Amino acid sequence: MKELEERIKRDGQVLAGGILKVDSFINHQVDAGLMDRCGREFAARFAKLGATKVLTAEISGIAPALTTALHLGIPVVYARKTKPITMPDQVYLTLAPSHTKGRMVELIVSPQYLATGERVLIIDDFLASGATILGLVRLAEAAGARIVGIGTVIEKTFEGGREVLQPVGVPVESLARITSMENESIVFAGE
Amino acid sequence: MKELEERIKRDGQVLAGGILKVDSFINHQVDAGLMDRCGREFAARFAKLGATKVLTAEISGIAPALTTALHLGIPVVYARKTKPITMPDQVYLTLAPSHTKGRMVELIVSPQYLATGERVLIIDDFLASGATILGLVRLAEAAGARIVGIGTVIEKTFEGGREVLQPVGVPVESLARITSMENESIVFAGE
């Protein structure tokens, strides 16, 4: 997605430890119009999969997942990282390592909103190691739901997440694929 | 907003301790279309205030704040509750009591995205005691920004938040105003 790549080039910042800082337009501050266009693009790419629900992880997955759900006309569920008091005692829970937090985090979904027979489209902001998305896959599978596709706004191809997700056997789409961030210079696939 | 009131009547659940559970359409699972219509309604009600930025608090404020920002054509900033490693050391930080967590939480905004001269519209999912929103007001004021309006999806009028926010001196709009939840029966203003 050309607009997104140009925005990453302009406003993205490569930090130490292979972190790409995009908190002026995706995390923290969000360009709502850009997120809406990302959601429309995901909806177009996944239109034929018959998804019944979008699944993401709080916090930074919420914006692109919401706009995708909006354009597909289906609900979105975001996995919680802490169990709110409004959630029942019986939940689906898995652990996933967080790159930006440097520790394991819980991913929790209420059985009320993820059920057998659902066709789940997973949307997240980043595809790096694939660990968070694999966690979402486990949650959906535990619920008896079927994963039909995986979409991420930004993929760092050199962190191997796409290979990790291959056994899931569904289409994986990323709107911007970064192949290198060496010397703080961002290079996209096809450049 | 009639559609929202009907949805709360149908799917909302009154829990012990005066908690209204709306996690089938606002928190956890989100009705993206409903959130979009809430955002459009906020945008219409606040159209003339010249807001330059929407401010909310993660996590459950993100959905209505994003759709409001989308319909106003401005960015949204969500205050973080934990400081990510991508954030600079110097931040705006305040403490606010969390009703659903039963403890104080931090609200953190990077000075990069909230500045002097900004006209800030605060959007959140709930107006109860007003404590979280007052925290957002303090953050915006610390940044030298001007609050121009406050919008919440659901207001519990009997928790006094509107009175707490009165000194801020800006319009406060809620899309559904609940005046009583006694005996697990939800009553809206005007009923």
Side-chain angles (χ1 to χ4, degrees):
Chain A
M1 195 174 152
K2 199 71 194 158
E3 177 193 4
L4 179 65
E5 289 184 357
E6 285 169 1
R7 187 62 174 274
I8 295 167
K9 283 252 190 206
R10 197 186 79 190
D11 294 335
Q13 224 183 314
V14 181
L15 304 184
I19 302 277
L20 177 64
K21 177 174 167 171
V22 288
D23 69 359
S24 65
F25 58 107
I26 295 184
N27 310 325
H28 197 28
Q29 178 166 264
V30 183
D31 181 329
L34 176 65
M35 278 306 105
D36 187 52
R37 293 185 288 280
C38 288
R40 190 184 299 144
E41 178 70 23
F42 280 132
R45 293 193 191 187
F46 293 118
K48 293 183 177 164
L49 299 179
T52 59
K53 205 159 275 187
V54 173
L55 177 65
T56 190
E58 67 180 29
I59 300 164
S60 49
I62 295 176
L66 179 73
T67 56
T68 303
L70 183 60
H71 287 284
L72 285 171
I74 58 180
V76 52
V77 172
Y78 53 90
R80 309 295 312 243
K81 289 177 182 167
T82 51
K83 188 170 163 297
I85 53 174
T86 49
M87 205 181 265
D89 290 336
Q90 292 276 35
V91 297
Y92 298 118
L93 185 152
T94 191
L95 288 171
S98 167
H99 192 45
T100 39
K101 289 189 178 166
R103 58 174 172 84
M104 299 297 280
V105 294
E106 293 182 336
L107 294 173
I108 307 166
V109 168
S110 167
Q112 297 176 281
Y113 311 122
L114 206 56
T116 307
E118 296 265 22
R119 297 175 64 83
V120 172
L121 171 61
I122 293 175
I123 299 287
D124 207 357
D125 56 341
F126 272 98
L127 173 54
S129 72
T132 305
I133 292 173
L134 264 193
L136 294 173
V137 168
R138 287 195 298 276
L139 286 178
E141 286 175 346
R146 181 171 160 195
I147 314 289
V148 296
I150 296 168
T152 65
V153 179
I154 301 174
E155 176 179 355
K156 295 194 275 185
T157 64
F158 49 93
E159 294 198 19
R162 186 171 285 267
E163 290 69 34
V164 165
L165 297 177
Q166 213 186 347
V168 184
V170 299
V172 177
E173 294 278 347
S174 302
L175 303 186
R177 302 188 65 206
I178 297 173
T179 55
S180 165
M181 302 198 310
E182 275 173 43
N183 305 318
E184 298 182 16
S185 165
I186 298 167
V187 181
F188 293 100
E191 278 189 332
Chain B
M1 196 174 151
K2 198 70 195 162
E3 176 194 5
L4 178 65
E5 290 184 357
E6 285 168 3
R7 187 63 174 274
I8 294 167
K9 284 252 190 206
R10 198 186 79 191
D11 294 335
Q13 224 184 315
V14 181
L15 304 184
I19 301 278
L20 177 65
K21 177 173 167 170
V22 288
D23 69 359
S24 65
F25 57 107
I26 295 184
N27 309 324
H28 197 26
Q29 178 166 264
V30 183
D31 181 329
L34 176 64
M35 277 306 105
D36 188 53
R37 293 186 287 280
C38 287
R40 189 185 300 145
E41 178 71 21
F42 279 133
R45 293 193 190 187
F46 293 118
K48 294 184 176 164
L49 299 179
T52 59
K53 204 160 275 187
V54 173
L55 177 65
T56 191
E58 68 181 27
I59 299 162
S60 48
I62 295 176
L66 179 73
T67 56
T68 303
L70 183 59
H71 287 285
L72 285 172
I74 57 179
V76 52
V77 171
Y78 52 90
R80 310 294 313 241
K81 289 177 182 167
T82 51
K83 189 172 161 298
I85 53 173
T86 49
M87 204 181 268
D89 290 335
Q90 291 276 37
V91 297
Y92 297 119
L93 184 152
T94 191
L95 289 170
S98 166
H99 192 46
T100 39
K101 289 189 178 165
R103 58 175 173 85
M104 299 297 281
V105 295
E106 292 183 336
L107 295 173
I108 307 165
V109 169
S110 167
Q112 296 176 282
Y113 310 123
L114 207 55
T116 307
E118 296 266 22
R119 295 175 64 84
V120 172
L121 171 61
I122 294 176
I123 297 287
D124 207 357
D125 57 341
F126 273 99
L127 172 55
S129 72
T132 305
I133 291 173
L134 264 193
L136 294 173
V137 168
R138 286 193 300 274
L139 287 178
E141 287 176 346
R146 182 170 159 193
I147 314 288
V148 296
I150 296 168
T152 66
V153 179
I154 302 174
E155 175 179 354
K156 296 194 274 186
T157 65
F158 50 92
E159 293 198 21
R162 185 171 287 267
E163 290 69 36
V164 165
L165 296 177
Q166 212 186 346
V168 183
V170 299
V172 177
E173 294 278 346
S174 301
L175 304 185
R177 302 188 66 206
I178 298 173
T179 55
S180 166
M181 303 198 309
E182 275 174 44
N183 305 316
E184 296 182 19
S185 166
I186 299 168
V187 181
F188 292 102
E191 280 189 333

